[in-house]
Amino acid sequence: AIYTADRDGRMIALSAATGEELWTERGKKLRISGGPGAGDGLVFAGTSDAEVVARDAESGEEKWIVQVSSEVLAPPRAAGGTVVVRTGDGKLFGLDSETGKRKWVYDRTIPVLTLRGTSAPVIYGGIVIAGFDNGRLVALDLATGKQEWETRLAVPTGRSDLERMVDVDAEPTIADDTAYVASFQANVAAVSIVNGQLEWTRKISSYSNLAVDESRVYVTDELGNVWALDRDTGTSIWKQEGLKARRVTGPAVVGDYVVVGDFEGYLHWIDRET
């Protein structure tokens, strides 16, 4: 199924095969701002009023709704009985999938000035990988919230708060025990999931999600250029400069193409090789 949500609190499930609507449910006075995310047979959304709502993935029935510390802008994720929720005040919450009860919370201080957005947590092999607005990538134990490692992707530089922004707003993309992630005004980086060591970095500013195939990493930078980088080294393979100022989304790999969307609703299909 494909799950979607709107600002008015409506959540919809569609058949991935046909597009047929499977269910639609509207939560009273829910201003959805993050999600939906799925896992453990549930679908989750976060709100501007610091709530997390869980619905049954098959029926759309509301299972629980709980309060967290601040607005939720990223999709919650769940696996192994734990829902992971990122909030705008720099916290990660681990909630029980069955009840919504808090199991653990991880807190980081956020800078004075940040982009409006947060990196969605990724669950991989019993750990949670998440980026923060201070330019750091963190791995936590899914069950307990214990920190496994922390890696600095970017060091703030400059005199003003604006110049020193190094937000990690892109969701980490994981392939073969390596996390690929981008930071604003800083780097695209490859980080080992095993120990948090940097495998390579590349000076490209981005706040969009990345895409990865068997040999390359695809990145949309803050200006709208789309890059293909070598997965092993981070070196440039090609750069598509024809979409500047079109507010281009992060890329997706579809067959022989890299696909991005823009602010006018167009999809642009780019040859993966050239």
Side-chain angles (χ1 to χ4, degrees):
I2 298 170
Y3 302 99
T4 186
D6 66 22
R7 182 62 171 163
D8 297 325
R10 185 174 55 166
M11 295 175 66
I12 302 172
L14 305 174
S15 166
T18 66
E20 176 188 2
E21 186 174 299
L22 303 176
W23 55 259
T24 179
E25 295 290 343
R26 184 184 299 275
K28 295 179 181 179
K29 299 180 180 179
L30 290 179
R31 297 188 298 156
I32 292 177
S33 53
D40 287 347
L42 301 169
V43 182
F44 311 94
T47 76
S48 292
D49 298 314
E51 299 160 316
V52 180
V53 59
R55 294 188 178 279
D56 184 273
E58 294 291 331
S59 66
E61 176 191 0
E62 183 177 302
K63 291 296 186 180
W64 48 260
I65 183 167
V66 300
Q67 196 82 22
V68 286
S69 58
S70 71
E71 182 177 32
V72 179
L73 294 174
R77 297 280 162 71
T82 301
V83 187
V84 184
V85 182
R86 173 70 196 279
T87 56
D89 58 355
K91 292 182 174 66
L92 269 177
F93 287 85
L95 309 177
D96 185 278
S97 295
E98 288 292 324
T99 63
K101 183 179 179 180
R102 183 186 303 183
K103 299 171 71 172
W104 52 261
V105 60
Y106 179 84
D107 191 6
R108 292 305 302 256
T109 302
I110 61 173
V112 174
L113 186 64
T114 68
L115 295 175
R116 177 169 169 76
T118 54
S119 174
V122 174
I123 300 172
Y124 180 80
I127 63 173
V128 180
I129 311 293
F132 288 85
D133 294 339
N134 58 5
R136 295 175 185 267
L137 189 71
V138 172
L140 309 176
D141 181 82
L142 175 62
T144 65
K146 176 187 175 183
Q147 181 175 305
E148 300 288 343
W149 51 256
E150 176 183 289
T151 298
R152 175 174 285 185
L153 303 179
V155 179
T157 59
R159 296 184 176 181
S160 70
D161 288 332
L162 184 60
E163 291 174 325
R164 294 173 62 81
M165 291 170 64
V166 289
D167 299 44
V168 180
D169 277 4
E171 176 182 324
T173 299
I174 298 176
D176 298 329
D177 286 338
T178 298
Y180 301 90
V181 65
S183 51
F184 180 61
Q185 297 188 150
N187 301 312
V188 174
V191 182
S192 169
I193 296 295
V194 177
N195 54 22
Q197 294 296 309
L198 285 171
E199 297 177 359
W200 55 258
T201 62
R202 181 67 193 276
K203 184 69 175 178
I204 298 175
S205 172
S206 177
Y207 47 79
S208 301
N209 292 347
L210 315 180
V212 175
D213 65 14
E214 60 277 0
S215 61
R216 297 172 184 171
V217 180
Y218 303 97
V219 185
T220 300
D221 69 23
E222 62 172 314
L223 301 177
N225 301 309
V226 183
W227 300 69
L229 308 177
D230 185 276
R231 254 183 67 175
D232 294 328
T233 64
T235 56
S236 299
I237 297 173
W238 52 254
K239 179 183 179 184
Q240 170 56 262
E241 300 180 280
L243 300 173
K244 285 184 178 179
R246 294 195 64 82
R247 300 210 296 271
V248 182
T249 68
V253 176
V254 183
D256 294 331
Y257 299 93
V258 176
V259 186
V260 295
D262 71 17
F263 76 109
E264 289 189 313
Y266 289 98
L267 295 179
H268 303 269
W269 298 69
I270 303 168
D271 189 287
R272 277 207 288 171
E273 295 299 319
T274 66

